Amino acid sequence: MKLPRKFVAALRVWTGGALAFVVYSTATGNERFYREVVMPTFRVLDAETSHRIGIKLAQYRLLPRIRFKDSPAMSMNLFGRTFVNPVGCAAGFDKHGEAVHGILQLGFGFVEIGTVTPEPQPGNDKPRVFRLTADTAIINRYGFNSDGAVAVLQRLETWRQQSNDTGILGVNLGVNSSHSKTSIDAAKDYRLGVEKFGHIADYLVINVSSPNTEKLRELQKRTELEYILDEVIDARNALKCDKKPPVLLKISPDLKDDEVSDVIRAATRKNKRVDGFIISNTTLSRPDSLTSAEKSEKGGLSGPVLAPMSTSLIGKVYEATKGEIPIIGVGGIRSGADALEKVKAGASLVQLYTAFSYEGPPIVNRIKRELSELLEKEGFHSLQEAVGANYKWKKTK
């Protein structure tokens, strides 16, 4: 049956209009469109495939370039660097340094790539990433899958040479799986990472807290951690570059209070002191509030359920160190209010990952906008004023 000419013409107009709307909404970062159309479409695929597609879209700059103007009040001077805004992309998204430029274009103030191991390794068997959609959470057991230091370094050097990005680059360092069982072997890997990336990274992260590499978390014990930090800081101090990178320590939210105290003692020794903490990694705990069937999968849990644990640990470390060592807060942030909660607990900067994977690029702009509005509403003239605002001893200084 031949369709009426007017119907065919109307269909073409409708199809063209729908396509134009999709292209426009995707390119401009329409929040509702991403939340209700784009990201659910990605969830038709398995989580790791979606992750890889997201990286490729960022690598080839096919994600929307966010043109939100950052307020000067949101900037932060830290580690001898200026962060134009406090919202960063957490390690784990761009594991291999493939898409730094594209990620920064989304509006992040900084990007942390990795975890990078000295030698290439495949990580754990697949499947190893699971969405807990009802809980807007993720469980992963990647296990430090890495292209290795040489390949990642080549990509970062190319990026530095070819881009004019002003965003800050962090490199998260790990160990090859065969070297995670003793502090001596692990220290060699971390030291190699410092020597490889020290000249190109704005900061380095020593990751001793991933739950997906055998015995890695044992390296948070005081004796083992002191040995590792001795080697790492000596290696950093021996670098020949003009601007030596700060060394940050990423810790687990599952630490008990006495273990937290041991970590702080190891990390605050004279001449062997870290320059900052990243709090926190994923958790092995499974809160009763989880409803998704995938909650029984092994691996590290991230998402809103992690927020109270990470925020509590930020507060403990900030209070124990009297706010003298900067903290990057990560875990369960999906709004400006969540970000401000971590800032008031003691974080100077924050990072996203899980919420980004559920809501897409527009969440970066939204969190920055909400955080800026909340700072003004609560009477803070700058982000710096809000850091650690929960603590009376700070207010009476």
Side-chain angles (χ1 to χ4, degrees):
M1 183 181 72
K2 191 174 181 179
L3 294 173
R5 193 175 290 177
K6 287 185 178 180
F7 178 81
V8 173
L11 185 62
R12 284 174 179 166
V13 170
W14 183 88
T15 303
L19 181 60
F21 173 75
V22 168
V23 171
Y24 177 79
S25 298
T26 303
T28 57
N30 181 287
E31 290 181 26
R32 183 176 177 182
F33 185 73
Y34 265 86
R35 184 174 58 252
E36 297 181 2
V37 178
V38 177
M39 302 314 292
T41 300
F42 269 80
R43 289 197 284 276
V44 172
L45 305 170
D46 69 87
E48 185 163 352
T49 299
S50 296
H51 181 183
R52 288 303 304 157
I53 291 173
I55 287 295
K56 289 302 178 184
L57 290 173
Q59 181 180 357
Y60 294 107
R61 305 173 199 176
L62 297 175
L63 294 175
R65 182 169 184 169
I66 304 301
R67 301 186 184 278
F68 179 82
K69 186 173 176 58
D70 292 317
S71 164
M74 291 269 282
S75 68
M76 179 67 69
N77 293 316
L78 210 61
F79 313 129
R81 278 86 174 161
T82 298
F83 293 75
V84 294
N85 73 69
V87 181
C89 182
F93 182 62
D94 188 3
K95 287 177 169 289
H96 314 301
E98 299 170 276
V100 176
H101 181 69
I103 295 170
L104 286 171
Q105 284 192 331
L106 301 178
F108 285 109
F110 62 108
V111 174
E112 187 177 313
I113 65 105
T115 298
V116 185
T117 58
E119 298 297 326
Q121 63 179 28
N124 294 326
D125 294 338
K126 299 178 183 180
R128 53 193 179 181
V129 193
F130 307 90
R131 297 188 190 94
L132 282 68
T133 305
D135 305 293
T136 55
I138 288 174
I139 290 173
N140 93 81
R141 50 174 183 261
Y142 270 117
F144 284 174
N145 57 310
S146 175
D147 286 352
V150 172
V152 174
L153 179 60
Q154 288 175 345
R155 293 186 190 119
L156 296 181
E157 288 177 334
T158 299
W159 164 69
R160 285 287 195 203
Q161 292 164 5
Q162 295 181 354
S163 80
N164 296 314
D165 291 327
T166 57
I168 303 295
L169 172 70
V171 178
N172 187 298
L173 302 175
V175 300
N176 285 112
S177 55
S178 59
H179 291 170
S180 64
K181 298 175 182 64
T182 72
S183 58
I184 294 175
D185 288 338
K188 291 177 183 176
D189 278 10
Y190 290 122
R191 185 173 189 120
L192 282 168
V194 172
E195 292 167 350
K196 279 282 186 186
F197 294 98
H199 70 287
I200 201 166
D202 292 300
Y203 69 87
L204 297 171
V205 182
I206 305 305
N207 186 350
V208 290
S209 53
S210 169
N212 302 314
T213 298
E214 186 181 1
K215 294 191 177 296
L216 186 77
R217 286 189 166 187
E218 297 293 309
L219 302 178
Q220 294 175 113
K221 292 181 177 178
R222 185 175 179 181
T223 301
E224 285 79 0
L225 188 56
E226 286 182 353
Y227 181 81
I228 288 168
L229 292 178
D230 286 352
E231 291 291 308
V232 164
I233 292 172
D234 284 348
R236 188 274 310 273
N237 292 343
L239 292 171
K240 302 301 182 184
C241 50
D242 293 333
K243 206 169 186 179
K244 294 179 172 57
V247 171
L248 282 66
L249 182 67
K250 188 165 188 175
I251 62 176
S252 164
D254 300 323
L255 292 170
K256 297 175 182 176
D257 286 347
D258 60 327
E259 293 171 326
V260 173
S261 297
D262 280 348
V263 166
I264 292 172
R265 290 189 189 100
T268 57
R269 293 167 298 138
K270 187 176 181 180
N271 299 324
K272 302 295 182 183
R273 171 171 158 162
V274 299
D275 301 290
F277 291 99
I278 296 185
I279 304 173
S280 66
N281 216 312
T282 55
T283 179
L284 287 174
S285 69
R286 298 292 185 266
D288 292 337
S289 61
L290 293 175
T291 60
S292 302
E294 294 81 1
K295 66 183 180 181
S296 60
E297 292 289 347
K298 293 181 180 179
L301 171 69
S302 60
V305 291
L306 177 59
M309 299 174 66
S310 65
T311 303
S312 174
L313 185 54
I314 288 167
K316 289 175 183 177
V317 173
Y318 184 83
E319 190 168 25
T321 60
K322 296 296 181 185
E324 294 176 0
I325 300 181
I327 296 168
I328 298 177
V330 56
I333 296 173
R334 54 179 176 172
S335 68
D338 294 335
L340 183 57
E341 184 178 26
K342 281 185 166 47
V343 170
K344 290 164 73 173
S348 296
L349 304 168
V350 296
Q351 291 178 327
L352 315 177
Y353 180 5
T354 300
F356 180 65
S357 73
Y358 273 95
E359 298 197 33
I363 195 175
V364 183
N365 186 33
R366 177 168 63 78
I367 287 177
K368 292 193 297 180
R369 184 181 67 245
E370 291 174 353
L371 177 57
S372 182
E373 291 169 353
L374 285 169
L375 287 171
E376 184 176 356
K377 182 179 179 180
E378 296 197 17
F380 296 110
H381 296 97
S382 67
L383 181 71
Q384 182 63 65
E385 273 189 25
V387 176
N390 289 350
Y391 297 94
K392 291 181 181 179
W393 56 262
K394 182 184 175 184
K395 298 174 185 176
T396 57
K397 276 186 178 180

